[in-house]
Amino acid sequence: MLSTSLSLRQFDNKIAFFMIFFTGYLLVISARLFYLQVHIASHLKEQSKKNFLRTETITSLRGNILDEQGNLLATNKPIMSIYWKGTGNHTLTKEQQHILNTFGEILDQSSDHIMSSVSIAERFSRTILLIKELPISWLSKIVEQFPHHPNLIIRTDQQRYYPHQSLASHVLGYLTALHADVEGRVGLEKLFDADLKGHKGQLLKVINSFGTPLSEHCIEQAHAGKNIHTTINIHLQKIAEQLFPE
């Protein structure tokens, strides 16, 4: 009789211990859920948006610099560049390797130096620059051999151009790249940089977990910079520099 009572008491103790442990476990889980769903819910929601939304900058067209008669002293020149757009393949296909080898033949250089960067871009669906300032003769060959290829993107970029070369260069100044941005370094390019560079735009892209773009939407339009009219007479400037060379 005594042994039976002890057995029942031990059983009750085990049940009580299990109930306390189970209750404590539920309290911990409930506290954790409350912390995730209430306390930091807004932070997690914002983080999830960042994981699937990407913003890209739309470059604004830099304004021109003109002399007193309206002649261009500094402007923008369109240049053709070709980019590689990754499509999510873990390894380069034979066709993709053939494209890169063909680039090497067209450019008369080895394609090995771009194979590694292209492989990474392809795996993570990224877009990278392959060739900048593509000559028309090379461009026509590439378009002819690979028309409408999903990996190849041809873009028109803008490069600063001074029609009179070094003439009045000490006054006009020049540009420099600073933190992936182009700014006036000296001269008028620096003095009127805020007016010349305009206002950049923003492009919102929706991507999946592999980084592949699904859609895009322009959330802010880019606005070109203002033109700057100076009192310089480029013809008189040329005569003065010929009479008084440095």
Side-chain angles (χ1 to χ4, degrees):
M1 189 75 178
L2 182 60
S3 61
T4 302
S5 177
L6 289 174
S7 297
L8 290 174
R9 186 178 298 172
Q10 290 176 353
F11 179 75
D12 291 340
N13 290 337
K14 289 181 179 179
I15 292 295
F17 175 78
F18 175 77
M19 292 299 294
I20 293 173
F21 176 80
F22 184 71
T23 303
Y25 180 77
L26 288 179
L27 288 174
V28 171
I29 295 297
S30 300
R32 182 61 179 172
L33 289 175
F34 177 82
Y35 176 76
L36 293 175
Q37 296 184 1
V38 179
H39 188 66
I40 61 171
S42 59
H43 171 73
L44 294 176
K45 184 178 180 180
E46 187 66 24
Q47 191 65 34
S48 66
K49 288 182 180 179
K50 291 181 179 179
N51 288 339
F52 294 96
L53 296 178
R54 295 288 185 271
T55 56
E56 290 187 5
T57 300
I58 305 174
T59 305
S60 58
L61 191 64
R62 194 172 180 86
N64 300 321
I65 301 178
L66 305 98
D67 75 348
E68 64 176 4
Q69 296 179 342
N71 297 308
L72 287 172
L73 304 180
T75 185
N76 306 292
K77 179 177 69 173
I79 58 173
M80 306 300 294
S81 301
I82 189 164
Y83 294 79
W84 182 277
K85 181 181 180 182
T87 50
N89 294 326
H90 290 285
T91 57
L92 294 176
T93 64
K94 291 183 178 180
E95 180 190 11
Q96 291 171 332
Q97 294 178 16
H98 171 65
I99 293 174
L100 297 177
N101 289 329
T102 303
F103 280 179
E105 295 175 1
I106 294 175
L107 303 176
D108 194 23
Q109 59 180 268
S110 174
S111 60
D112 294 338
H113 69 287
I114 61 174
M115 279 287 188
S116 58
S117 57
V118 167
S119 298
I120 296 174
E122 179 63 25
R123 186 180 307 126
F124 295 100
S125 301
R126 296 173 181 171
T127 301
I128 62 169
L129 176 65
L130 284 181
I131 308 171
K132 188 177 182 179
E133 297 185 56
L134 192 65
I136 297 298
S137 58
W138 296 352
L139 178 62
S140 59
K141 291 180 181 179
I142 292 173
V143 172
E144 181 181 353
Q145 295 189 42
F146 310 107
H148 309 293
H149 197 280
N151 286 122
L152 301 179
I153 301 175
I154 298 174
R155 293 180 182 172
T156 302
D157 298 320
Q158 299 293 329
Q159 186 179 63
R160 201 59 167 167
Y161 174 63
Y162 301 94
H164 304 281
Q165 299 180 357
S166 62
L167 196 62
S169 59
H170 61 289
V171 177
L172 297 176
Y174 57 90
L175 304 179
T176 184
L178 183 63
H179 304 300
D181 196 7
V182 176
E183 297 181 355
R185 182 66 175 179
V186 294
L188 297 178
E189 293 280 22
K190 179 179 180 179
L191 185 62
F192 295 100
D193 184 67
D195 295 317
L196 288 167
K197 67 182 180 182
H199 183 72
K200 295 181 179 180
Q202 291 287 332
L203 186 68
L204 183 67
K205 286 189 174 183
V206 180
I207 63 173
N208 60 17
S209 57
F210 297 99
T212 304
L214 302 177
S215 63
E216 60 182 42
H217 175 66
C218 181
I219 56 178
E220 186 177 4
Q221 292 286 348
H223 299 284
K226 299 178 181 178
N227 292 337
I228 302 299
H229 295 263
T230 70
T231 58
I232 298 173
N233 185 307
I234 195 62
H235 303 296
L236 295 179
Q237 182 70 30
K238 183 177 181 180
I239 295 173
E241 292 192 16
Q242 289 175 344
L243 292 175
F244 305 99
E246 294 182 359

